[in-house]
């Protein structure tokens, strides 16, 4: 009984700590977006691209202002993650293709096929973007090259202080590293919704 109570307490502590960490990351990202893009633009970016803004905060702290070893470790980690995303995207696309061949798929509401088709497209796009990013990472052989790529075009962002953007992560670069994961998330959600609707109409 004591062991069970102790385990429950540790789980609750773990969940509470994780929730606090997420809130802290979200608050930091919101402050970053507001300071860099202004309240209106920052709020819009946080609403539509929260994961990208959070990635920008981490990249500036850990890569742009970090060590050379950290930059190379980030490159290796990102390449490995993109490999897994590419595999997951291919699996997602294959499942979506199979779903479009289910019995009676032509007789159910068209929105079911729409969800499956959207999942297929997102799966394929996630693979394409992951491969593109892997190729880009493969051409960055030095820490200085990694930082230069992350900082490229930052002066063209929607920032209020374009002259200060030379040493800030480009929104475009951060978005490109985040988009394969986002496509996998939405593609998986569309697939699940499609199956749910298919079973409901079947």
């Amino acid at each position: 009984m004591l062991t069970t109570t102790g385990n429950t307490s540790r789980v609750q502590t773990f969940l509470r700590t994780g929730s606090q960490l997420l809130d802290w990351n979200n608050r930091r990202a919101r402050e970053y977006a507001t300071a860099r893009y202004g309240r209106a633009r920052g709020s819009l970016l946080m609403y539509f691209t929260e994961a990208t803004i959070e990635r920008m905060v981490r990249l500036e702290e850990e890569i742009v202002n970090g060590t050379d070893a950290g930059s190379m470790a980030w490159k290796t980690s990102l390449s490995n993650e993109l490999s897994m995303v590419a595999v997951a995207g291919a699996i997602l696309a294959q499942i979506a293709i199979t779903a479009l061949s289910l019995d009676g798929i032509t007789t159910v509401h068209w929105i079911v096929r729409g969800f499956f088709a959207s999942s297929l497209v997102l799966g394929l796009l996630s693979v394409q973007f992951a491969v593109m990013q892997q190729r880009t990472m493969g051409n960055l052989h030095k820490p200085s090259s990694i930082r230069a790529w992350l900082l490229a075009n930052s002066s063209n962002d929607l920032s209020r202080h374009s002259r200060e953007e030379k040493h800030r992560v480009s929104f475009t670069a951060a978005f490109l590293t985040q988009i394969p994961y986002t496509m996998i998330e939405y593609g998986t959600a569309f697939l699940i919704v499609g199956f749910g609707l298919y079973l409901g109409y079947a």
Side-chain angles (χ1 to χ4, degrees):
M1 183 67 178
L2 292 176
T3 302
T4 303
T5 303
N7 290 336
T8 302
S9 177
R10 283 194 292 270
V11 170
Q12 291 175 344
T13 301
F14 175 79
L15 293 175
R16 184 165 54 252
T17 302
S19 177
Q20 292 173 348
L21 180 60
L22 290 174
D23 290 340
W24 181 67
N25 285 334
N26 182 270
R27 185 167 58 253
R28 278 202 312 165
R30 189 172 298 279
E31 292 172 353
Y32 175 91
T34 301
R36 182 169 177 179
Y37 298 104
R39 183 175 298 277
R41 290 176 178 174
S43 297
L44 285 174
L45 289 173
M46 279 297 296
Y47 183 79
F48 291 106
T49 59
E50 179 180 338
T52 299
I53 298 297
E54 291 179 352
R55 182 173 287 253
M56 291 173 71
V57 174
R58 292 197 304 271
L59 288 175
E60 283 196 10
E61 293 178 352
E62 300 173 8
I63 309 302
V64 177
N65 300 317
T67 63
D68 290 348
S71 297
M72 297 307 294
W74 174 79
K75 172 192 170 181
T76 301
S77 175
L78 180 63
S79 297
N80 293 336
E81 291 176 6
L82 290 172
S83 296
M84 292 187 290
V85 168
V87 173
I91 295 173
L92 178 64
Q94 182 60 53
I95 296 174
I97 291 175
T98 303
L100 289 170
S101 303
L102 291 171
D103 293 336
I105 191 66
T106 57
T107 61
V108 298
H109 198 281
W110 63 267
I111 198 171
V112 176
R113 299 190 297 276
F115 275 112
F116 288 151
S118 298
S119 179
L120 170 61
V121 172
L122 288 172
L124 293 175
L125 286 176
S126 69
V127 173
Q128 179 183 3
F129 276 97
V131 171
M132 290 170 58
Q133 287 300 303
Q134 281 186 312
R135 183 186 180 197
T136 300
M137 290 296 106
N139 292 328
L140 303 177
H141 304 293
K142 300 178 180 179
S144 58
S145 300
I146 296 174
R147 293 192 181 97
W149 181 76
L150 289 173
L151 298 174
N153 300 318
S154 60
S155 60
N156 295 327
D157 282 352
L158 301 175
S159 173
R160 300 181 300 173
H161 313 293
S162 58
R163 293 183 179 180
E164 301 175 4
E165 295 299 292
K166 293 182 179 179
H167 303 291
R168 312 207 75 170
V169 170
S170 166
F171 177 87
T172 303
F175 182 78
L176 287 174
T177 61
Q178 178 64 35
I179 193 64
Y181 307 94
T182 302
M183 288 182 173
I184 287 290
E185 291 174 357
Y186 280 100
T188 302
F190 286 165
L191 186 67
I192 293 173
V193 172
F195 275 120
L197 292 175
Y198 171 78
L199 294 174
Y201 280 109

